[in-house]
Amino acid sequence: SLVLYNDEVNTFDHVIKSLVEVCGHDAIQAEQCAMIVHLRGSCEIKLGIKEVLQAMSRSLNAKGLNSRVMNM
């Protein structure tokens, strides 16, 4: 699973836009994930094939977000 972690740097708009662009979320799903990350500190944002999730994580991290692929 791909997990996104909260930070004190990025805006909600940037996080939402990044989730739409990188993970293929629709705007509502991205907004919900951003809110969960803000309130809980992290959120599982995507399930899938490890190599695909690693590529998504690298893209999110390149956009200044903090994400990691977790083993299930």
Side-chain angles (χ1 to χ4, degrees):
S1 67
L2 179 57
V3 178
L4 181 65
Y5 296 93
N6 192 32
D7 63 51
E8 301 300 321
V9 179
N10 292 293
T11 65
F12 275 97
D13 287 341
H14 178 66
V15 173
I16 292 166
K17 183 179 177 188
S18 297
L19 291 175
V20 169
E21 289 176 2
V22 174
C23 299
H25 289 188
D26 62 36
I28 293 171
Q29 182 182 15
E31 187 176 335
Q32 290 172 339
C33 288
M35 186 58 71
I36 292 169
V37 169
H38 176 69
L39 295 173
R40 295 188 181 166
S42 68
C43 178
E44 185 178 77
I45 56 171
K46 194 83 170 174
L47 295 173
I49 299 167
K50 185 175 183 177
E51 291 77 15
V52 174
L53 298 178
Q54 287 172 331
M56 288 180 179
S57 181
R58 285 190 297 273
S59 294
L60 290 171
N61 294 344
K63 292 179 176 289
L65 303 179
N66 183 10
S67 68
R68 251 181 23 165
V69 176
M70 306 298 285
N71 293 325
M72 302 281 304

